[in-house]
Each structure stands twice: as C-alpha cells, then as structure tokens.
C-alpha cells in the first residue's frame, strides 16, 4: 500500500491550519437540515409487507405543522388547513351516527393494525388506540393523557339530553373529529381515522356510540 503523496500531506496540513485559524461555524440552514433529515429517513426505512416507506411522506397540512415545530400557525394558514381537512369528511351514508358501544370499547382498547406482519391493509384489522391518549370508560385505569378525558362525555359537553340541540351538535362535531381531527384543530396530533383509512364507517359508528350513547359506561 502506498502512503499519501507529499503533495496530499501538504494539502491536509494546510487544511488543518485553516480549520484551527478560521473556526467559522456555518450559519444554520433549515433547508439543508430538512434535506439531510429526509435523506436519513429514506435510508433508514424500507418496505416490508404492507408497511410502505411512502407512509413517511407528509401531506401539506402535516408538513406545515412540522415546519412550525410546535409554534402556532398564523391564523389564516390554520384556517385554510382546517377547511381543507373539513372538505374530506364523509358523513355516514345512512344518516345514522351511533353503532354499538361494546364494539366501540373493543376498538378503543385495540392498538392493532398497520403492522408489516398484518396480512392486508383492510381497515377492519385496525384498532383505534384511543386509550393510548384518552381516559374513556371507568373500568380501564391504564390510559394516556395526551388528549382530554372522554369519561362523562355527554355531561362534560352539557349534552345529556339526547333530544337537545347540544347533543345533536355534539354528535356532528364528534363525527368530524373522529373522521379528521385536523378539520377542527390544524395541528392536532390525533390520528385522522376516517381520512387516513384507518377505521371504516361501521367502526367509527361504534366508537361514536361508546362516547355518545346514554347507555354506554362512559355516560353512566
Ligand atoms: C395520539 C393521541 C390520540 C389518539 C390515539 C386519539 N386521540 Fe382523541 N384527541 C387527542 C388530542 C390531543 C385531542 C385534543 C384536541 C386536538 O388536539 O385535536 C383529542 C380530542 C378528542 C376528542 C374531543 C374531546 C372533547 O371533549 O371535545 C374526542 C371525542 C376524541 N379525541 C376521541 C378519540 C377517539 C374515539 C380515539 C380513538 C379512535 C382517539 N381520540 C384517539 C389525541 C388523541
């Protein structure tokens, strides 16, 4: 093996001196950071089973919130994102919002789905992982607190009278939130269950019943 030529050694020595003498710190370049980050993510993940690298691609509303880094968006931009996401919400085809709260409780408990080892992306395999972020039914004492408590959901929203205007409004708003939380809060961290195809219409109805059926343990 040949060592470095004399010429190369001289160049290295000059470069080392320049580094000591200069000590210039380059100004931060957010564009370069973002490119480097994307490069790192792209080289760290690969497709496996149903889990595809394309999941890392953010849509414009997620990207805007990432760029803001947790700071609130300018009001006009937040409003535009809410409007775009609101436009994706499909109300239930038959006009009925409430399914079976027992099935809803199972979905709220389940964190299954979207894993590379799952056979298909069929939404019926997915759970909602709701307890990861919310207190919900009184029996489950292991829950996360990233989102507000949903226990006594009707009463907390002063909607205990099922015929009242408040209950009707709450039903609509809750469907919109479960379908696409960014329709109400531009930078919500709550998964966009309907919009992202994580849960289907029947599953959303069952979760709705867990929160809004007066017979659900959530409201008793
Ligand atoms: C990663 C955490 C996370 C998960 C998972 C999550 N949520 Fe949320 N949720 C939130 C946050 C945070 C809020 C507060 C509003 C916002 O930021 O969008 C919220 C708000 C809500 C609200 C409005 C509460 C109120 O009193 O007005 C409802 C209803 C709700 N979530 C239901 C659900 C259901 C049902 C599931 C499961 C299918 C779920 N959430 C899963 C984080 C989460």
């Amino acid at each position: 093996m040949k060592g470095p030529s004399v010429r190369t050694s001289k160049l290295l020595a000059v470069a080392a001196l320049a580094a000591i003498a200069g000590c210039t710190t380059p100004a931060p370049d957010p564009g370069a950071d973002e490119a480097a980050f994307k490069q790192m993510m792209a080289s760290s993940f690969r497709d496996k089973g149903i889990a595809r690298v394309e999941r890392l691609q953010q849509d414009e509303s997620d990207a805007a919130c990432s760029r803001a880094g947790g700071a609130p968006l300018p009001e006009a931009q937040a409003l535009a994102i809410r409007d775009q996401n609101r436009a994706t919400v499909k109300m239930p085809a038959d006009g009925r919002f409430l399914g079976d709260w027992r099935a809803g409780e199972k979905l709220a408990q389940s964190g299954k789905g979207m894993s590379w080892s799952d056979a298909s992306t069929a939404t019926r395999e997915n759970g909602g992982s709701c307890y990861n972020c919310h207190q919900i039914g009184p029996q489950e004492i292991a829950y996360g607190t990233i989102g507000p408590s949903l226990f006594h959901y009707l009463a907390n929203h002063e909607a205990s009278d099922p015929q009242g205007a408040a209950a009707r409004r709450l039903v609509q708003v809750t469907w919109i939130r479960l379908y696409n939380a960014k329709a109400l809060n531009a930078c919500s961290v709550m998964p966009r269950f309907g919009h992202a195809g994580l849960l289907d219409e029947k599953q959303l109805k069952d979760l709705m019943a867990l929160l809004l059926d007066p017979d659900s343990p959530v409201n008793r």
Side-chain angles (χ1 to χ4, degrees):
M1 215 170 66
K2 267 171 71 180
S5 69
V6 176
R7 194 173 140 71
T8 318
S9 307
K10 271 194 188 145
L11 279 177
L12 286 174
V14 170
L17 277 177
I20 293 163
C23 271
T24 51
T25 315
D29 175 356
D33 284 353
E34 200 176 321
F37 176 71
K38 279 191 177 148
Q39 168 71 38
M40 185 188 76
M41 295 294 276
S43 61
S44 304
F45 292 92
R46 62 190 166 84
D47 288 347
K48 188 162 185 184
I50 61 161
R52 302 285 154 147
V53 173
E54 69 198 21
R55 282 188 195 165
L56 297 172
Q57 276 164 21
Q58 295 183 310
D59 71 1
E60 194 32 50
S61 43
D62 271 333
C65 297
S66 293
R67 280 195 299 271
L73 298 179
E75 187 48 34
Q77 191 184 11
L79 193 63
I81 289 177
R82 289 204 297 272
D83 285 350
Q84 282 156 16
N85 282 278
R86 176 69 182 84
T88 73
V89 176
K90 290 193 191 70
M91 291 315 215
D94 61 2
R96 290 171 191 275
F97 288 88
L98 302 196
D100 170 7
W101 64 260
R102 287 180 183 81
E105 170 68 20
K106 283 192 192 127
L107 282 167
Q109 292 275 356
S110 166
K112 283 203 181 123
M114 305 295 287
S115 159
W116 63 268
S117 55
D118 287 335
S120 81
T121 49
T123 57
R124 82 183 85 85
E125 291 185 28
N126 297 334
S129 301
C130 316
Y131 279 100
N132 281 1
C133 295
H134 295 285
Q135 178 183 29
I136 313 180
Q139 301 303 320
E140 180 53 84
I141 55 167
Y143 53 81
T145 53
I146 292 173
S149 171
L150 306 176
F151 184 48
H152 287 156
Y153 189 66
L154 287 175
N156 286 346
H157 288 269
E158 292 169 20
S160 296
D161 169 12
Q163 308 307 326
R168 285 204 301 277
R169 215 170 30 244
L170 186 62
V171 166
Q172 301 267 336
V173 170
T174 306
W175 181 271
I176 293 167
R177 191 179 303 273
L178 297 191
Y179 199 97
N180 188 341
K182 281 173 171 278
L184 299 167
N185 173 9
C187 290
S188 176
V189 297
M190 180 160 139
R192 291 181 277 175
F193 294 103
H195 175 67
L198 299 169
L199 299 175
D200 63 22
E201 195 178 275
K202 179 189 177 296
Q203 291 173 311
L204 291 175
K205 287 182 179 188
D206 292 340
L207 286 161
M208 288 283 290
L210 178 65
L211 301 179
L212 292 151
D213 189 328
D215 291 336
S216 159
V218 165
N219 294 311
R220 278 190 279 121

